[in-house]
Amino acid sequence: MKTLQEFADALTEVQKARKLTARELADSVGLSDLSVRRILSGQTAPRLTNAIALASELGLELVLVAKGVAQAMSGAPKRTRCVVSKADGR
């Protein structure tokens, strides 16, 4: 995940699959209903502790990994640098 919206979408997907309302999720993690709705819609960035709490309540784990590992996990092609020059000097 690279964006706030991707994070929000991942949480929302699991929330809907578990048939939890924003109110139920908010009550279980100690946040306001409005805060949870704004986080799930991608309108606001949660504090790290709140992001961890929401993820945990939904059965997810928030993990930091090296960019190279994240690219390999996502299947994204690794970026390489390429220098092109004329070898014959013309």
Side-chain angles (χ1 to χ4, degrees):
M1 261 173 251
K2 293 184 180 181
T3 68
L4 179 59
Q5 191 60 56
E6 288 175 318
F7 176 73
D9 292 345
L11 292 179
T12 301
E13 182 180 329
V14 177
Q15 176 224 1
K16 288 181 178 180
R18 292 184 175 221
K19 298 181 176 147
L20 290 170
T21 66
R23 163 72 61 202
E24 292 167 330
L25 188 54
D27 288 345
S28 64
V29 296
L31 296 173
S32 73
D33 180 42
L34 178 60
S35 292
V36 169
R37 284 187 283 121
R38 292 186 70 186
I39 292 167
L40 294 177
S41 69
Q43 292 177 337
T44 188
R47 288 183 175 179
L48 181 57
T49 54
N50 292 340
I52 292 168
L54 287 167
S56 180
E57 186 63 29
L58 292 170
L60 301 171
E61 187 74 29
L62 196 59
V63 179
L64 296 176
V65 296
K67 286 183 180 182
V69 173
Q71 287 174 343
M73 289 172 54
S74 71
K78 186 176 180 181
R79 293 183 183 179
T80 59
R81 292 185 176 172
C82 180
V83 177
V84 178
S85 66
K86 293 182 179 182
D88 62 2
R90 287 189 237 174

